[in-house]
Amino acid sequence: MDWKNALSEIITHPNSRLRFKEPLAKHTYFGIGGEATAYIEISTIAELSALARFHRQWDIPIAIIGRGSNLLVSDTGFNGISVRLIGELAKSEVDGNTVSVGAGLSLPRLSKTMSRQGLSGVEFALGIPGSVGGALIMNAGAWGSSFGDVITNVTVMDDTGELVNLSHAEAAFEYRHSGLDTYFCVTGATLELESGDAETITARMQAFYKQKVETQPFAEENAGCMFKNPPGDSAGRLIDISGLKGYRIGGAEVSTVHGNFILNIDNATATDVLNLVTHIQQQVREKTGISLQTEVKRLGFDAKVE
Ligand SMILES: Cc1cc2nc3c(=O)[nH]c(=O)nc-3n(C[C@H](O)[C@H](O)[C@H](O)COP(=O)(O)OP(=O)(O)OC[C@H]3O[C@@H](n4cnc5c(N)ncnc54)[C@H](O)[C@@H]3O)c2cc1C
């Protein structure tokens, strides 16, 4: 049996999907990137566990992706299997102030559902278009809050297909980084939220969102902040004072609204984006002496997500 047939045998649930030669551009907010050899929407733990064992047996590269809102996929695509979590892997369950969430759940949906139920702690997340899994990997955050702040436990799957429960400390959350990317897959987390008045929480969530829409680009395709903020400073400010707002290479342009966003304004390629990233890093280093590090993850430039 070849690996494609072996893979087809794993994907058995009626809601799960397996497709070959899937264009990844349509699964990323950048709208950029070539094809993945295979793409799976996987809806059960049992299938995911079988996939982990498949991975060990066949050694085909696998990349778990969320909503693709922090991802740049190469123009030549990903020579491997890209996987998105749906169904039972994207659910939430509330028990008092404790909330269990699947990694496939969308962050804006989580934010809205919790505010409606009078639970506070994830109001900042309405304007972050990622999944819970992506937010755990990135320790996504805004307005002084980070996703890791409300997490008590994280569940991951190891490469034998076993689920492992990690404490907050073991998840090793840092600024836009966690220690979770060493596992095969992040499957979910437990959040501890605070009870409050649903209307007040909803108003705070909406105020954060409004502020975000007013200060960051939302109309054009992008992947959020391209660079991490250096300690004590803002990458957007450094890009701005380096005179780079509106600078364009091919179809990729530095946003005129917020310098830390690179926009796909006209069929940009991943090469356009990376050339622009290099230009920004050179110019900012020359003008300010600071080296900017990228926040956006890359897929398909090497065998796995970098
Ligand atoms: C308009 C816009 C605004 C944004 N604003 C913010 C913001 O305010 N703050 C902020 O922090 N970010 C922001 N972002 C970036 C992005 O939304 C976050 O980083 C988000 O957490 C990424 O989640 P995702 O599901 O899209 O992950 P993806 O982009 O799909 O993946 C990101 C990384 O996580 C890995 N990954 C995803 N899911 C899993 C999983 N289940 N198991 C293992 N690995 C996984 C991927 O392999 C990849 O390495 C913004 C992006 C956009 C487009």
Side-chain angles (χ1 to χ4, degrees):
M1 188 189 305
D2 74 355
W3 72 264
K4 290 185 181 174
N5 288 327
L7 188 62
S8 306
E9 288 192 356
I10 290 173
I11 307 306
T12 50
H13 192 276
N15 293 343
S16 299
R17 297 269 174 278
L18 164 63
R19 292 195 286 268
F20 293 99
K21 295 176 108 194
E22 176 78 355
L24 287 179
K26 66 181 193 188
H27 299 290
T28 67
Y29 271 71
F30 246 144
I32 293 174
E35 292 174 347
T37 315
Y39 170 79
I40 303 174
E41 286 175 1
I42 205 159
S43 63
T44 64
I45 287 283
E47 290 168 302
L48 191 63
S49 182
L51 186 65
R53 293 191 298 275
F54 165 94
H55 181 45
R56 268 165 76 96
Q57 186 184 345
W58 293 89
D59 201 26
I60 310 280
I62 293 185
I64 315 287
I65 60 169
R67 302 278 155 153
S69 65
N70 196 51
L71 205 56
L72 179 66
V73 177
S74 100
D75 297 318
T76 52
F78 174 51
N79 190 12
I81 305 162
S82 118
V83 181
R84 190 166 160 201
L85 311 180
I86 61 162
E88 91 178 32
L89 298 161
K91 284 191 170 156
S92 64
E93 210 178 289
V94 179
D95 179 10
N97 290 8
T98 307
V99 186
S100 308
V101 285
L105 185 72
S106 117
L107 224 47
R109 173 178 282 210
L110 173 70
S111 188
K112 277 193 234 168
T113 313
M114 293 306 116
S115 66
R116 260 200 307 270
Q117 302 203 19
L119 288 170
S120 170
V122 286
E123 296 91 308
F124 70 89
L126 181 61
I128 306 181
S131 66
V132 163
L136 289 164
I137 292 281
M138 298 305 302
N139 192 15
W143 317 116
S145 301
S146 296
F147 199 49
D149 300 346
V150 292
I151 301 295
T152 54
N153 293 85
V154 180
T155 319
V156 294
M157 185 173 280
D158 67 16
D159 58 3
T160 67
E162 293 296 317
L163 290 176
V164 182
N165 192 27
L166 302 175
S167 66
H168 177 274
E170 286 168 325
F173 292 112
E174 292 171 22
Y175 167 65
R176 299 298 170 266
H177 180 77
S178 72
L180 299 166
D181 56 1
T182 54
Y183 295 93
F184 173 67
C185 180
V186 176
T187 56
T190 309
L191 285 62
E192 197 61 31
L193 301 178
E194 277 182 32
S195 308
D197 171 56
E199 266 181 38
T200 313
I201 297 168
T202 304
R204 188 162 48 237
M205 177 187 74
Q206 282 166 346
F208 281 146
Y209 187 74
K210 184 167 176 278
Q211 207 173 333
K212 193 166 169 94
V213 173
E214 282 168 2
T215 54
Q216 296 180 7
F218 259 80
E220 303 89 351
E221 293 172 306
N222 68 76
C225 288
M226 180 51 73
F227 301 97
K228 293 185 183 185
N229 288 325
D233 211 329
S234 123
R237 188 190 78 84
L238 296 170
I239 293 165
D240 193 1
I241 62 167
S242 301
L244 291 165
K245 271 184 168 174
Y247 190 87
R248 181 173 173 174
I249 294 182
E253 186 176 288
V254 179
S255 166
T256 51
V257 177
H258 190 309
N260 201 7
F261 284 68
I262 290 183
L263 311 178
N264 172 6
I265 53 161
D266 185 15
N267 297 311
T269 61
T271 308
D272 293 339
V273 173
L274 287 186
N275 287 341
L276 189 51
V277 163
T278 306
H279 180 77
I280 293 168
Q281 286 172 321
Q282 277 167 352
Q283 292 295 305
V284 169
R285 202 176 304 119
E286 233 170 68
K287 300 220 162 78
T288 70
I290 295 173
S291 297
L292 291 178
Q293 308 299 317
T294 49
E295 177 175 321
V296 170
K297 300 278 186 183
R298 299 174 197 182
L299 176 62
F301 296 88
D302 190 2
K304 61 184 181 66
V305 180
E306 291 150 15

